[in-house]
Each structure stands twice: as C-alpha cells, then as structure tokens.
Amino acid sequence: MRIDVLTLFPEMFAGPLEYSIIKRAREAGVVAINLVNFRDWARDKHHTVDDSPFGGGPGMVLKPEPVFETVEAVRATQEVKGPLVYLSPKGERLTQALARELAALPCLTVLCGRYEGLDQRVVDHLVDREVSVGDYVLSGGEPAAIVLLDAVVRLLPGALGDDQSTEEESFSDGLLEYPQYTRPAEFRGWKVPEVLLSGNHEVIRRWRSEMSVEETRKKRPDLLIGPKAEATHE
Ligand code: 9D3
C-alpha cells in the first residue's frame, strides 16, 4: 500500500513512523509512507500557505492553491488511484470498520489541516472523505493522521504476526478484552484467578469469553446493544 501524507509539519511524524509495527511494515515493504510538505508547493517568494478569512473573524485559513498543487503533483507520481482523506473535526468518525476499508485500498492520500481549517473549495472539489478521530479539540490534523495511519497499517497483510491478528479478530471482535495476568501467581497478596493456573484450556477459553462479555457489559454496554454496535464492528 502507498500512503502520501500532506502536512505543514512532516517532522511530527518522524517518531511514530519509526517504531514498532509501522516501522516493521515499512521495512518489509508492506507500506510506503511518503511525507509531503505543502509549503514546498507554494509558488510565491514567501511560500505562503495561509491567509485571513474572507468576511473577517479570527485565525487563518489554508489557501487553496498550495493544497491543489500538492495533491496534483502527488497524484502524478501515484501509479494507482486512491481517495484523498482530509482529517477534520467535521469528519465521519474513524472506526475499525473504516480502518479496514482504507486498509483494503492500494493507495491513500491523507491531508492534515492546521489553523481554522481549509478553504472550503478544497473540501468541495478535492477531498473524497473527511475523517475525525473523536469529539475533542486537537491543534491540527497531524495527531489524528498518526492515529489513522496506525489503525490502517497494522491491518495490512504482513504487518503483524499473522497468528496473532487472525485469532484476535475471530474471538473478541466487538468486545473488550478479558483480563490478562503473568507471573508471579501471587503479588502483594493478590492472587491470579485459579482457573488460569488449572491448565484446562477449555475451561480457560470459556472463562475468558465470559470475562470479555462481562467487561464489555460493565464498561462499554454501547458495544453490545444499540444501532451503533453494528456500524462500529462491521
Ligand atoms: C478551536 C477551533 N475551532 C473553532 C470552532 C475549530 C477547529 C479547527 C481546527 C478545531 C480543531 C481544529 C484542528 N483539529 C483537526 O484538524 C482535527 C481533529 C480534531 O480536532 N479532533 C478530532 N479529530 C480531528 S481530525 C483533524
């Protein structure tokens, strides 16, 4: 999969892309992530990317020209077509279902906003999909893009140990995880549940399944019932 990320702050991605699953996926050639600073595509002497809003008001708005020019230049280098995803507080919520959908594509372009946002003509005539990571205020699209990249890249075939991913999906999809324990069997007087020491794998499997449902019922009952459950998990 190829992912181009358009941002004014490519340096913000350095750390997150150099660790763990994303690092290994890139090294294995499972994904190619290309960071593009759209300031580099501003044609004027001062590489201007923003301006004050027509009609007045606070803050700055990203100008359409550098964004269009960057997207057009990036598209010219992509051998396969893919959607332009704009990270925006007005977007549809990022869910596991959306992450799966995006992970199935051969190519993805991700646009990060800053300031008060983008000129609406970019949204209307260039963006295919607006995505938000939740109802809280971030200072820009970059942290949201890092979340999206992580959720998508770990789903790519070959990004994870295969056994781990498939087992996880079939057993607990849509539920919270059961509690995990490791040695010592007793720590400061707190004992590990007896069943886990029993060696009876069928009994352990059943206990974990029950704990999963119980944990979900207590902490996230919305995952078990309601119209959203289906949308989020499939
Ligand atoms: C305080 C500014 N707000 C004025 C009404 C609007 C606003 C503009 C830009 C709020 C946040 C941002 C920057 N956020 C993102 O670019 C963003 C985001 C988010 O803030 N929350 C959840 N998901 C996302 S995706 C991109």
Side-chain angles (χ1 to χ4, degrees), residues 25-42:
R26 294 175 80 192
E27 286 172 352
V30 163
V31 66
I33 301 173
N34 180 35
L35 297 168
V36 182
N37 189 338
F38 51 87
R39 189 178 293 280
D40 296 342
W41 292 88

Side-chain angles (χ1 to χ4, degrees), residues 4 20 25 42 67 87 89 110 138 142 144 155 162 164 180 190 195 197 201 208 218-219 221:
D4 293 274
S20 185
V67 179
L87 275 316
V110 175
L138 299 173
E142 287 79 8
L155 293 175
D162 271 356
Q164 192 191 340
Q180 299 270 21
W190 302 305
V195 57
L197 311 176
H201 297 292
R208 284 179 165 170
K218 274 191 294 196
K219 295 180 177 168

